[in-house]
């Protein structure tokens, strides 16, 4: 199997509001649209987004009245702090401010008008030598530190 494109389909109450959010703040463009439907894409490696209005008949009957909830749409980006600053200046609703987790995940979240949580993530290398309970450096022998990212 060769996957050529990944698409996330979100069922929302107001397709136009989510479409405007993704195109205004996240750099998506409309590839196709019709009443109650929008297909959004980007020229980079981001996942495509399909927005479907709740109740639309293309959805299986048991899913027509559900809406996107309980999920986080996460995008890994570079320059996370600059992105948060840009989005704040645009008035995007930042619902979780920039933070860094002990495992090296830097992130912040915003929420679109339909309640879809968007998380922007940047991975940093956590201090692998730090003792997680005390935060102290447990490796004092710097001669054994090897770089495995480039061999040759």
């Amino acid at each position: 199997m060769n996957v050529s494109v990944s698409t996330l389909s979100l069922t929302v109450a107001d397709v136009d509001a989510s479409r405007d959010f993704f195109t205004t703040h996240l750099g998506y463009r409309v590839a196709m649209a019709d009443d109650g439907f929008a297909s959004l894409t980007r020229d980079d490696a981001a996942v495509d987004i399909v927005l479907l209005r709740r109740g639309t008949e293309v959805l299986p009957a048991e899913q027509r009245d559900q809406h996107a909830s309980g999920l986080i749409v996460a995008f890994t980006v570079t320059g996370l702090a600059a992105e948060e600053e840009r989005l704040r200046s645009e008035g995007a609703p930042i619902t979780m401010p920039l933070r860094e987790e002990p495992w090296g995940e830097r992130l912040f979240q915003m929420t679109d008008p339909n309640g879809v949580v968007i998380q922007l993530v940047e991975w940093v290398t956590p201090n692998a030598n730090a003792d997680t309970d005390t935060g102290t450096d447990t490796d004092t022998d710097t001669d054994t530190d090897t770089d495995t990212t480039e061999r040759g």
Side-chain angles (χ1 to χ4, degrees), residues 27-93:
Y28 276 86
R29 63 182 164 75
V30 177
M32 293 178 272
D34 201 350
D35 183 39
F37 163 82
S39 177
L40 309 177
T41 192
R42 289 179 49 109
D43 292 331
D44 59 14
V47 65
D48 288 351
I49 304 288
V50 167
L51 302 166
L52 295 171
R53 183 177 37 221
R54 272 178 35 184
T56 207
E57 290 186 15
V58 71
L59 294 168
E62 67 276 6
Q63 294 179 10
R64 288 186 190 146
D65 292 326
Q66 296 179 5
H67 64 280
S69 67
L71 64 92
I72 295 173
V73 179
F75 297 109
T76 301
V77 301
T78 57
L80 185 67
E83 287 300 318
E84 184 194 32
E85 185 177 315
R86 175 186 66 83
L87 289 161
R88 279 189 189 281
S89 72
E90 291 177 358

Side-chain angles (χ1 to χ4, degrees), residues 5-139:
V5 176
S6 296
T7 304
L8 178 64
S9 181
L10 302 171
T11 305
V12 297
D14 186 344
V15 168
D16 294 344
S18 284
R19 178 204 61 218
D20 291 348
F21 182 88
F22 276 88
T23 58
T24 299
H25 298 302
L26 298 172
Y28 276 86
R29 63 182 164 75
V30 177
M32 293 178 272
D34 201 350
D35 183 39
F37 163 82
S39 177
L40 309 177
T41 192
R42 289 179 49 109
D43 292 331
D44 59 14
V47 65
D48 288 351
I49 304 288
V50 167
L51 302 166
L52 295 171
R53 183 177 37 221
R54 272 178 35 184
T56 207
E57 290 186 15
V58 71
L59 294 168
E62 67 276 6
Q63 294 179 10
R64 288 186 190 146
D65 292 326
Q66 296 179 5
H67 64 280
S69 67
L71 64 92
I72 295 173
V73 179
F75 297 109
T76 301
V77 301
T78 57
L80 185 67
E83 287 300 318
E84 184 194 32
E85 185 177 315
R86 175 186 66 83
L87 289 161
R88 279 189 189 281
S89 72
E90 291 177 358
I94 306 294
T95 51
M96 177 190 290
L98 184 62
R99 60 188 283 167
E100 186 169 327
E101 301 296 347
W103 51 86
E105 180 182 23
R106 294 183 71 216
L107 65 107
F108 70 90
Q109 293 178 350
M110 52 193 158
T111 304
D112 95 333
N114 284 293
V116 176
V117 177
I118 311 297
Q119 179 172 295
L120 297 187
V121 176
E122 183 175 51
W123 293 94
V124 296
T125 304
N127 184 353
N129 296 329
D131 181 316
T132 57
D133 292 332
T134 64
T136 58
D137 191 351
T138 58
D139 181 6

